[in-house]
Amino acid sequence: MFSKSLEAALGAMACLAEIYDGGTTTLTAEQIATDRDLLRPFLAKLLTSLSQAGLVTSKPGRNGGFTLACSPADISLERIADAIGYRTRIQCCPFGPEYNGEEGKPCAMHDEVIKIKDQVEAFLASSTLEGFARNQ
């Protein structure tokens, strides 16, 4: 249900949440990519988006790297999703766009699919990064 980009962004943010100590400790993109088994160029693109959204900060230099811009408890999963341009994949009924419900002929599963989409969106809005880190 989540895109690969959102899964990777959540994984990277959880990695940073695991070491979060107020912003002193940082991880390089290489360390995050290795820890979460992500391709470095793909992760770099995600980190740029997350940084532009104010969710991570970077420190340049030999001992530099990335850290969360604020406490994991203050970062909703929805903010992460918004930062990378994610929207739930459930956009229409499974039978195709002509059954999207807006043209007056929804498929038999339309109402259930909409419920699932609403639940996913509510989950992202109400859940924070706190607790998603492996060691918490």
Side-chain angles (χ1 to χ4, degrees):
M1 185 169 302
F2 293 145
S3 67
K4 290 190 186 294
S5 294
L6 181 57
E7 288 176 2
L10 290 172
M13 294 293 283
C15 188
L16 292 172
E18 290 172 359
I19 57 100
Y20 185 75
D21 59 1
T24 303
T25 304
T26 61
L27 292 176
T28 65
E30 187 65 37
Q31 289 170 313
I32 298 168
T34 300
D35 187 70
R36 299 300 186 204
D37 196 25
L38 299 170
L39 295 175
R40 171 82 169 68
F42 178 55
L43 175 62
K45 182 179 176 181
L46 292 174
L47 288 170
T48 297
S49 296
L50 294 166
S51 179
Q52 289 171 344
L55 297 175
V56 300
T57 58
S58 61
K59 295 180 182 178
R62 187 168 186 259
N63 295 320
F66 293 89
T67 187
L68 296 180
C70 57
S71 167
D74 295 328
I75 300 175
S76 73
L77 303 187
E78 180 180 50
R79 285 183 64 199
I80 298 169
D82 287 345
I84 62 162
Y86 170 82
R87 287 287 161 235
T88 55
R89 288 187 188 181
I90 305 169
Q91 298 297 328
C92 63
C93 289
F95 296 105
E98 66 273 10
Y99 289 95
N100 67 10
E102 294 172 11
E103 297 172 16
K105 73 182 208 190
C107 75
M109 296 174 61
H110 179 80
D111 291 340
E112 293 303 314
V113 170
I114 295 303
K115 283 181 194 175
I116 292 169
K117 180 179 177 181
D118 290 345
Q119 288 173 342
V120 169
E121 290 175 357
F123 168 76
L124 291 172
S126 65
S127 300
T128 67
L129 196 55
E130 184 178 54
F132 278 77
R134 282 187 229 160
N135 67 352
Q136 293 185 9

